[in-house]
């Protein structure tokens, strides 16, 4: 019986837990094929719809978060089959529909599609062994799952051009300096740190967490004036939630807030 391409689990004892999705093609360094991406999309949407889940972590193995798309599969395509099948992008957009925060816990290689998957997440935690890059140019192609679009937004045009045009890799320290990585953590603490962040997020007010993610994402997809308007409307909407009342009352009373669903 074939091994599942992803493994799932839930962690936490409170009202909301952190779901963990582990990419599970270790022999292929978690190369992202259709079967894996279909399973990942299904798991992401299932956890997003589960009221007991407040945060999602995507991780891989110690050697590789994901070393890219499956080149053996890509090599079989010509232009017509790539275009008509909507190659790669067909089942890569599920994560954009997820409203809950998604954390990438990256160790080892995050290359090509692996780097693009990490960039689709909301927070990227990386070990000092992590390597990021878009080496598609060395295969005679270009990034196809948002690499030429999200990378400049994360690290700026100059750095993105350097990486995309040369295909070189950057280590975790450079990725953090450039803004691609949220923070670097010790290798033996990667999942502990990811779950600790998930626990923090799960303990916060659900409406404010969802609104904060939506507003930050809007800044990448709209002119500043539209982004500011989105932020303002969501900010005002928070004042109609029990979380706002509890949060401010707790602050004034000098006690820890207890947010409820």
């Amino acid at each position: 019986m074939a091994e599942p391409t992803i493994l799932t689990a839930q962690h936490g004892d409170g009202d909301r837990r952190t779901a963990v999705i582990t990419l599970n093609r270790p022999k292929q360094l978690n190369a992202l094929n259709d079967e894996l991406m279909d399973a990942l999309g299904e798991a992401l949407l299932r956890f997003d719809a589960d009221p007991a889940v407040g945060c999602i972590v995507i991780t891989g193995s110690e050697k590789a978060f994901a070393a890219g798309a499956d080149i053996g599969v890509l090599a079989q395509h010509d232009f017509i089959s790539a275009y008509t099948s909507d190659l790669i992008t067909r089942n890569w957009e599920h994560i954009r529909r997820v409203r809950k925060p998604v954390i990438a816990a990256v160790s080892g290689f995050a290359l090509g599609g692996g780097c693009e998957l990490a960039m689709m997440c909301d927070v990227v935690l990386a070990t000092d062994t992590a390597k990021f890059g878009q080496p598609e140019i060395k295969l005679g192609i270009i990034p196809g799952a948002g690499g030429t679009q999200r990378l400049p937004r994360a690290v700026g045009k100059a750095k993105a051009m350097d990486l995309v045009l040369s295909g070189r890799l950057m280590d975790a320290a450079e990725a953090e300096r450039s803004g691609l990585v949220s923070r670097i953590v010790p290798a033996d603490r990667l999942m502990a740190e990811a779950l600790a962040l998930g626990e923090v997020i799960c303990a916060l007010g659900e409406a404010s967490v969802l609104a904060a993610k939506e507003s930050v994402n809007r800044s990448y997809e709209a002119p500043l004036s539209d982004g500011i308007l989105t932020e303002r409307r969501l900010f005002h909407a928070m004042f109609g939630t029990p979380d706002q009342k509890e949060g401010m009352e707790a602050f004034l009373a000098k006690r820890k807030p207890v947010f409820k669903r």
Side-chain angles (χ1 to χ4, degrees):
M1 184 176 178
E3 286 288 318
T5 55
I6 65 167
L7 304 174
T8 63
Q10 294 187 32
H11 297 263
D13 301 321
D15 293 336
R16 285 185 291 166
R17 298 184 293 274
T18 298
V20 176
I21 303 172
T22 303
L23 309 182
N24 189 45
R25 299 187 73 209
K27 293 181 180 178
Q28 297 82 17
L29 296 180
N30 292 327
L32 304 170
N33 62 3
D34 273 347
E35 183 182 359
L36 187 153
M37 294 309 295
D38 285 339
L40 175 61
E42 186 278 329
L44 283 167
L45 297 180
R46 172 163 48 85
F47 286 136
D48 197 41
D50 186 344
V53 171
C55 184
I56 303 168
V57 174
I58 301 177
T59 193
S61 67
E62 183 179 348
K63 290 183 178 180
F65 175 72
D70 193 320
I71 305 304
V73 174
L74 299 187
Q76 300 173 21
H77 285 272
D78 58 15
F79 167 71
I80 294 299
S81 64
Y83 180 67
T84 57
S85 68
D86 199 12
L87 182 63
I88 289 186
T89 55
R90 176 188 66 80
N91 51 3
W92 284 64
E93 296 298 304
H94 298 297
I95 192 169
R96 296 186 61 197
R97 296 162 53 191
V98 175
R99 299 181 67 199
K100 294 171 182 175
V102 181
I103 300 167
V106 178
S107 181
F109 295 114
L111 309 181
C115 185
E116 289 167 315
L117 177 59
M119 288 191 289
M120 292 180 191
C121 298
D122 303 306
V123 177
V124 181
L125 302 184
T127 68
D128 57 8
T129 65
K131 302 281 187 183
F132 297 85
Q134 300 288 164
E136 289 90 344
I137 199 85
K138 295 183 178 181
L139 299 174
I141 59 173
I142 68 171
T148 65
Q149 303 302 302
R150 290 188 178 92
L151 192 59
R153 287 166 168 80
V155 305
K157 177 185 174 182
K159 181 72 73 173
M161 282 290 193
D162 176 15
L163 294 166
V164 171
L165 293 179
S166 71
R168 76 172 180 88
L169 309 187
M170 63 178 175
D171 61 20
E174 183 182 359
E176 184 186 36
R177 290 195 306 270
S178 301
L180 181 62
V181 166
S182 307
R183 50 187 153 108
I184 300 172
V185 301
D188 62 353
R189 292 282 303 164
L190 177 62
M191 286 310 299
E193 294 290 340
L195 292 173
L197 177 56
E199 184 178 359
V200 169
I201 292 171
C202 287
L204 298 171
E206 181 180 28
S208 56
V209 167
L210 298 182
K213 171 173 173 170
E214 179 183 344
S215 190
V216 172
N217 279 338
R218 185 64 175 165
S219 72
Y220 275 81
E221 299 170 356
L224 178 61
S225 58
D226 289 352
I228 291 293
L229 180 60
T230 296
E231 179 187 73
R232 185 176 302 129
R233 292 292 178 259
L234 290 169
F235 173 73
H236 291 159
M238 294 299 98
F239 284 80
T241 66
D243 290 339
Q244 177 265 335
K245 300 295 185 294
E246 168 62 13
M248 293 189 178
E249 288 175 4
F251 178 85
L252 294 173
K254 294 182 172 56
R255 62 174 175 82
K256 184 177 180 179
V258 179
F259 296 111
K260 298 179 180 179
R261 291 192 57 76

